[in-house]
Amino acid sequence: MLLENRREAGVQLAARLEIYRGRDPLILAVPRGGVAVAEPIYKTLGGELDVVITRKISAPHQRELAIGATSGDGLVMLNDDLVSRLGVFPDYIEKTAEKEQAEIVRRLKKYRGNRPLPGIEGRLVLVVDDGVATGYTLLTALKSLRQHNPAELALAVPVGPPETFARLKKEVDALVYLEAPVDFAAVGQFYRDFNQVGDDEVVEILNRSRSPF
């Protein structure tokens, strides 16, 4: 499978999500790439489009190595084996989580302005991203959202490895994807155009979603 771009990924996912049309879904996209995927889904299903943000907690002196992740509402999930192996102290985790939670607040304000956060309790919530690798930040997002008692929680992602989808499937009521290749290496290998989505584009898409089609 080779997708032209994130918009095409969203169009293909939308075709598999028709069962949610007319149910006023709350579509929560993971910035930044997930927002571009979510726009065609929103246009097909209607409902409400917004964002959900989680941030990884990096290992000390190893910025690219995630030892966990945190959500904006304070949920922290850790890879306990990795934390133990690296000997990471609790105070480092606490301070890093607080810093990342502050960054989530900053990004939410940048993308959403001063609009109140959407209500989740009792709603159909559909989380969308442009792909998944290890799935740790998505797992944190799903667990955080579940704490807010949605009526139904679904996940739509174009591509990811089978083992990650197997782990994420346990956290949702429905998982929709286009392909789960066993030779998965990176999300970008499945897109012809995988250029970075900018903050301004995220804001534009969210603003368009608040206007009539």
Side-chain angles (χ1 to χ4, degrees), residues 152-198:
E152 188 174 344
L153 182 60
L155 174 63
V157 183
V159 65
E163 62 273 14
T164 297
F165 280 144
R167 187 164 60 249
L168 292 172
K169 188 175 183 179
K170 299 174 184 177
E171 305 298 328
V172 294
D173 300 300
L175 170 62
V176 177
Y177 59 89
L178 302 179
E179 193 161 329
V182 293
D183 60 345
F184 180 95
V187 173
Q189 77 184 95
F190 300 97
Y191 286 87
R192 187 170 281 110
D193 174 7
F194 198 62
N195 290 331
Q196 188 177 49
V197 175

Side-chain angles (χ1 to χ4, degrees), residues 14-15 24 31-32 47 52 78 98 106 119 132 134 157 162 181-183 199:
D24 190 33
R32 292 172 291 212
V52 59
L78 298 174
E98 288 176 353
R106 186 193 72 80
V132 60
T134 65
V157 183
V182 293
D183 60 345
D199 286 339

